Amino acid sequence: MTNQTFKKLDTAPVYRLVFDTIEQQIVKGELKPGVLLPTETHLAEQFGVNRSTVREGIRMLEESGLVQRKSGQRLQVTLPHINATAARTSRLLRLHEVTFRELWEASIAIEPVVARYAAERITAPELALLQQNVAEMEKAINDHVEVVRLDIVFHDLIAQAARNRALGLAREPISQLFMPAGKAILPRLKTQKRIIDAHHALLKALKERDADEAAAWMHRHIADFKRGFEQTGLDIDRPLESF
């Protein structure tokens, strides 16, 4: 008698096929952002399914940020916002119990490259926003939570100035996870002044369009973050959610 190695194949739910079909057309560019989808009734007719099945497929598309409802409840194709995409990825990293070491290794690989591109591409209004961010951090120097928040915003602004969507999508979920690590470090070591000094140096390099200096300072800044974390005595290989 032969052992049964494989299980019977299951057919994907029909609503999932509706989702997959529309998603593929959006990803391929056949349905572009701004295009209105047919009504649920027309979609049901085209797919040969009932409206409740179409409705469930649409719900998945809305959750994915690929469509949203406009006036009159018509569905419009949209691009998922980077923050929404990053939030989902951050949740996945938490579920996989990503450690500070893993997060830091990814950050020190990405952030200096981002700073280099930003030095080449940053605009005057973006420099003004960075200057304002540094000023706000100096005013909030005794508020640990606010300093961490402004630190993350500072790095996000540099990433926007780099004008590289692939790098932006790669770094954003990592950036969102630095909040618990920052909150663990600042109350213990009170390193706000070091952060502000590093941001001043980065801002100077960006203003001077010095890509090498911007990348070098960003590398120092991220390396310093790891040294600060290690000085707290916290386990660098513990999942971030445990801090």
Side-chain angles (χ1 to χ4, degrees):
M1 181 176 178
T2 304
N3 290 332
Q4 185 171 340
T5 305
F6 302 103
K7 296 180 180 180
K8 291 181 180 179
L9 294 174
D10 291 325
T11 302
V14 178
Y15 67 82
R16 178 76 202 198
L17 297 178
V18 171
F19 167 80
D20 288 343
T21 300
I22 298 175
E23 180 196 40
Q24 287 173 17
Q25 290 195 34
I26 294 173
V27 171
K28 289 179 180 177
E30 295 169 5
L31 289 173
K32 298 187 179 298
V35 169
L36 292 174
L37 292 183
T39 64
E40 289 183 2
T41 300
H42 288 153
L43 284 172
E45 291 173 355
Q46 291 179 37
F47 284 116
V49 299
N50 58 47
R51 285 184 62 185
S52 61
T53 298
V54 167
R55 196 172 296 119
E56 186 62 21
I58 287 171
R59 182 188 63 78
M60 292 177 65
L61 288 166
E62 289 181 298
E63 290 179 352
S64 300
L66 293 172
V67 300
Q68 63 181 19
R69 294 189 183 275
K70 291 297 184 180
S71 58
Q73 297 299 300
R74 290 292 301 275
L75 287 162
Q76 184 180 73
V77 176
T78 57
L79 284 176
H81 194 279
I82 188 171
N83 288 339
T85 304
R88 287 193 291 271
T89 306
S90 292
R91 285 195 295 273
L92 182 62
L93 291 172
R94 290 190 183 96
L95 287 171
H96 281 273
E97 298 186 327
V98 65
T99 65
F100 178 86
R101 184 191 300 278
E102 292 169 316
L103 193 71
W104 179 83
E105 288 175 348
S107 185
I108 203 164
I110 295 172
E111 295 291 336
V113 177
V114 168
R116 177 177 296 278
Y117 287 133
E120 298 169 354
R121 301 166 183 173
I122 197 164
T123 65
E126 287 168 338
L127 285 169
L129 286 174
L130 285 171
Q131 187 74 62
Q132 179 183 343
N133 177 279
V134 173
E136 289 177 2
M137 186 178 286
E138 288 175 330
K139 290 179 181 177
I141 194 167
N142 295 317
D143 185 338
H144 300 137
V145 174
E146 183 64 3
V147 168
V148 173
R149 186 191 71 79
L150 288 168
D151 183 37
I152 291 172
V153 171
F154 183 87
H155 287 266
D156 287 347
L157 288 169
I158 292 177
Q160 291 170 25
R163 286 174 176 73
N164 184 303
R165 287 168 291 184
L167 282 172
L169 287 166
R171 70 167 295 282
E172 183 63 22
I174 297 170
S175 175
Q176 289 187 7
L177 289 181
F178 267 130
M179 181 68 83
K183 287 179 178 178
I185 294 172
L186 286 188
R188 290 173 169 86
L189 302 182
K190 305 191 186 312
T191 54
Q192 297 95 307
K193 181 67 164 55
R194 289 180 67 86
I195 293 172
I196 292 170
D197 288 345
H199 285 196
H200 273 298
L202 277 163
L203 182 56
K204 181 175 182 292
L206 292 170
K207 285 179 177 178
E208 295 174 354
R209 309 284 177 177
D210 190 335
D212 289 340
E213 186 70 3
W217 258 108
M218 184 63 81
H219 190 280
R220 293 187 200 110
H221 186 36
I222 302 300
D224 197 45
F225 189 34
K226 179 171 178 277
R227 282 192 293 272
F229 191 90
E230 290 170 334
Q231 288 173 20
T232 65
L234 295 169
D235 186 352
I236 197 170
D237 291 311
R238 276 171 57 191
L240 279 172
E241 284 295 284
S242 62
F243 297 121

